[in-house]
Amino acid sequence: MTQKAFSILNELLTEQDSLKIMIVENDLIVDNNPLRDTGIHTANLIKRFKRRGISRIDFLKGVTFSEIKQFIVDLSETDKGLKTYPNIKTGVIDVRLGGLKVDADFDISNLPRFTSEQIETVKEVYHDISYFRRLNTAGLEEIVVNFIVTFRKAANILQLISPVRSYSEYTYTHATNVAVLSMFQAESLGVTDELLRDIGIAALLHDVGKLFISNEILEKNGPLEEDEWDEIRQHTLYGARYLTKADDLTRLAPIVALEHHLRYDSQGYPKLNITSKRQHICSQIVAISDFFDAMRSRRPYRRELETKEILSLMKTKAGTEFNPLLLDNFLRIMVLTLKEK
Ligand SMILES: [Fe+2]
Ligand SMILES: [Fe+2]
């Protein structure tokens, strides 16, 4: 039986670099295709994996017959720990909707992302604002439409969001990531066309006010003083003020710039002195993307967090910092994304 499995596997691996097997409930999913009614052998195999706490196995090109045999033998000896296998990787994908549990052990850092050209266009828009205070509204629209096309083609959204390489790149890679994540959320909620584009543009510009804050504070290597934090918090007001004056720009942009640090429970900043003021739903979407992306990058005062750590942390903020329904939706689409990878 193993010999037969091996020849099938080998054949598949001549055409692709890896074969991904996942266990979801009692189904075996091979490269995203569920196998059904696969008989007693498969059921036994699933049981063995489950006993080991394994729910994902990747077979890589170059896997040998003896490696697979050893792997299966080791699996059945429950008292022994699994060894490492050069071409077989095991991990956990645990997806439970409802009482959501997030647990994904796979490294997402080496996947394809946006082309450097796409990031470069965002950089240009930012430089225009920085040096000439000029906002290229038409350019923004183009960028956002381009993003939508890209993320519709992508198998998963985490492939698209870029890691930050240096601080100077932070501003526009963060802007790009927040825009992509916000449009992804909005689209999953049924938002289309103009509103989808407007959310993308507003998200792309949410931190534009930071361009009006001195680099000395923004790039300070070490903990910030209270008055420096106060100045950083002003980026919401600076951004909103700048964007209100821009022609042909969606009204959402200044709203989101103003409100993205205002929380769902109306705590946060800036203090608006309007008692009935609730955070706009689009600002709530952007706040979720903003938090997720910000936590992925290292800061002088904290390390970067892994995806699953961020998602669990976010869950603790439902109903206070984040709109619980939007957060539920975000966790759902992120977990599905992790699962699909
Ligand atoms: Fe911000
Ligand atoms: Fe931000």
Side-chain angles (χ1 to χ4, degrees), residues 122 125-126 129 135 140 144 147 169-183 185 197-213 232-244 249-262 269-270 279 282-295 297 299:
V122 178
V125 170
Y126 265 82
I129 303 172
L135 186 65
L140 282 171
V144 164
F147 284 175
E169 284 181 37
Y170 180 74
T171 319
Y172 43 86
T173 36
H174 174 64
T176 307
N177 293 345
V178 172
V180 171
L181 290 168
S182 301
M183 286 189 287
Q185 283 187 69
R197 286 201 298 276
D198 285 356
I199 290 177
I201 291 172
L204 209 48
L205 297 169
H206 77 280
D207 269 340
V208 101
K210 286 201 178 157
L211 296 176
F212 302 85
I213 292 175
I232 287 201
R233 289 190 192 107
Q234 295 286 321
H235 79 278
T236 49
L237 292 164
Y238 296 158
R241 199 174 300 147
Y242 171 72
L243 295 172
T244 317
L249 186 69
T250 163
R251 295 290 307 139
L252 268 184
I255 294 174
V256 167
L258 185 70
E259 296 182 348
H260 69 278
H261 291 285
L262 204 64
Y269 64 91
Q279 198 183 19
C282 295
S283 310
Q284 294 176 356
I285 290 179
V286 172
I288 288 174
S289 314
D290 188 29
F291 184 91
F292 179 82
D293 189 63
M295 289 295 138
S297 57
R299 279 293 201 268

Side-chain angles (χ1 to χ4, degrees), residues 97-151:
L97 301 178
L100 196 70
K101 182 172 181 293
V102 180
D103 205 349
D105 270 358
F106 282 81
D107 180 19
I108 56 159
S109 53
N110 294 321
L111 294 161
R113 0 197 113 85
F114 270 130
T115 62
S116 49
E117 207 178 302
Q118 282 170 312
I119 307 271
E120 206 55 35
T121 357
V122 178
K123 193 171 165 181
E124 273 164 33
V125 170
Y126 265 82
H127 279 192
D128 271 5
I129 303 172
S130 216
Y131 295 115
F132 313 111
R133 299 285 181 256
R134 186 178 62 210
L135 186 65
N136 178 357
T137 329
L140 282 171
E141 191 118 348
E142 214 181 292
I143 291 169
V144 164
V145 171
N146 205 315
F147 284 175
I148 298 173
V149 173
T150 312
F151 82 66

Side-chain angles (χ1 to χ4, degrees), residues 45-229:
L45 201 61
I46 291 179
K47 245 186 237 159
R48 282 188 209 171
F49 284 130
K50 281 192 164 176
R51 222 178 284 140
R52 291 279 180 173
I54 297 172
S55 50
R56 172 162 175 173
I57 311 105
D58 281 14
F59 291 99
L60 309 181
K61 209 177 209 141
V63 66
T64 61
F65 182 54
S66 61
E67 204 177 334
I68 296 182
K69 221 165 106 187
Q70 191 58 51
F71 177 60
I72 292 178
V73 170
D74 291 350
L75 266 183
S76 42
E77 294 186 22
T78 38
D79 51 331
K80 275 194 200 152
L82 283 180
K83 300 183 193 72
T84 48
Y85 310 87
N87 296 302
I88 304 173
K89 306 279 170 235
T90 57
V92 186
I93 299 283
D94 200 340
V95 184
R96 279 176 224 165
L97 301 178
L100 196 70
K101 182 172 181 293
V102 180
D103 205 349
D105 270 358
F106 282 81
D107 180 19
I108 56 159
S109 53
N110 294 321
L111 294 161
R113 0 197 113 85
F114 270 130
T115 62
S116 49
E117 207 178 302
Q118 282 170 312
I119 307 271
E120 206 55 35
T121 357
V122 178
K123 193 171 165 181
E124 273 164 33
V125 170
Y126 265 82
H127 279 192
D128 271 5
I129 303 172
S130 216
Y131 295 115
F132 313 111
R133 299 285 181 256
R134 186 178 62 210
L135 186 65
N136 178 357
T137 329
L140 282 171
E141 191 118 348
E142 214 181 292
I143 291 169
V144 164
V145 171
N146 205 315
F147 284 175
I148 298 173
V149 173
T150 312
F151 82 66
R152 283 204 182 129
K153 274 194 260 163
N156 91 58
I157 202 73
L158 289 169
Q159 284 181 2
L160 288 182
I161 55 179
S162 320
V164 178
R165 281 169 218 95
S166 69
Y167 193 86
S168 57
E169 284 181 37
Y170 180 74
T171 319
Y172 43 86
T173 36
H174 174 64
T176 307
N177 293 345
V178 172
V180 171
L181 290 168
S182 301
M183 286 189 287
F184 189 57
Q185 283 187 69
E187 199 177 48
S188 76
L189 295 164
V191 174
T192 55
D193 307 320
E194 211 181 322
L195 182 56
L196 186 61
R197 286 201 298 276
D198 285 356
I199 290 177
I201 291 172
L204 209 48
L205 297 169
H206 77 280
D207 269 340
V208 101
K210 286 201 178 157
L211 296 176
F212 302 85
I213 292 175
S214 77
N215 280 345
E216 218 172 287
I217 298 180
L218 288 177
E219 293 177 23
K220 183 172 172 185
N221 219 341
L224 295 169
E225 303 294 329
E226 197 43 46
D227 60 324
E228 292 170 324
W229 274 120

Side-chain angles (χ1 to χ4, degrees), residues 268-282:
Y269 64 91
K271 293 277 168 268
L272 294 171
N273 296 328
I274 314 167
T275 40
S276 62
K277 183 72 186 164
R278 293 295 302 259
Q279 198 183 19
H280 191 287
I281 191 152
C282 295

